[in-house]
Amino acid sequence: MMAPRSQKAAALKVSPIEVLAAIESLYADQVRPQGRILLKRLGERAAAARVGQVALGSIPGLAVGSEVVPRLDTAHIRKVCERCPRIQVVAEAGTEYSALLVGRTPSFIDPCSNDDPFPERLWSEMAVFFGSYQNRGVRLPGGRYACARALAAAHLPFLAG
């Protein structure tokens, strides 16, 4: 049963500095800072700060418990983006938006592209890892972003560099 509205924890409101830092980190990862992705990045950064760790998740399991990530005020995040002169808010499909850095040339990876810039060695080492007996039970989060973050947090040798 869900707690009544009055008993729920208040949504965390982040500062413009925190939003800019999260967007910068998405640029560094070559991930387009769409609203839902920005929300996830802000959540993981807030959770890491709260727990005092740099990366969340590790093998076995690889998944980050959602109970660690604080609830964020999504309307507040969008308002922060819209009011910040260093951020350009671009409308996307439906209610989605991207928060782009003003004066910064975007170079994001297209997750829907069929181009594969990775060497065959990466794929063969990954197949060996997931096919090995001790890693057959590894459970990854369902979304692309969460799965990628969990794998990155595991510091797997074939993903280094």
Side-chain angles (χ1 to χ4, degrees):
M1 184 162 110
M2 292 185 61
R5 195 183 247 325
S6 62
Q7 290 180 357
K8 286 185 179 180
L12 180 65
K13 291 189 177 184
V14 293
S15 71
I17 291 171
E18 291 168 313
V19 172
L20 283 166
I23 294 171
E24 286 281 359
S25 73
L26 289 167
Y27 267 74
D29 291 343
Q30 295 181 297
V31 175
R32 185 175 182 85
Q34 292 179 311
R36 62 185 166 29
I37 302 295
L38 177 58
L39 177 68
K40 289 179 181 187
R41 180 59 57 96
L42 284 163
E44 74 188 19
R45 290 171 66 93
R50 182 178 286 177
V51 175
Q53 58 188 33
V54 174
L56 299 173
S58 62
I59 292 178
L62 295 175
V64 176
S66 61
E67 68 279 358
V68 177
V69 179
R71 192 167 62 89
L72 297 167
D73 185 331
T74 56
H76 171 75
I77 293 167
R78 181 153 184 167
K79 283 180 189 170
V80 167
C81 291
E82 290 170 342
R83 291 177 180 161
C84 182
R86 294 181 53 199
I87 299 172
Q88 176 189 9
V89 175
V90 178
E92 303 278 347
T95 60
E96 186 61 86
Y97 67 96
S98 289
L100 304 177
L101 295 173
V102 172
R104 186 89 161 267
T105 304
S107 62
F108 306 122
I109 295 171
D110 180 0
C112 299
S113 172
N114 288 328
D115 292 334
D116 182 4
F118 302 103
E120 182 58 39
R121 181 175 176 191
L122 174 121
W123 299 116
S124 59
E125 289 179 17
M126 188 176 274
V128 168
F129 171 79
F130 285 111
S132 70
Y133 176 74
Q134 73 245 28
N135 294 320
R136 281 200 184 131
V138 170
R139 299 181 73 174
L140 292 168
R144 286 184 293 206
Y145 180 83
C147 184
R149 295 298 300 164
L151 287 169
H155 303 290
L156 302 170
F158 55 84
L159 294 177

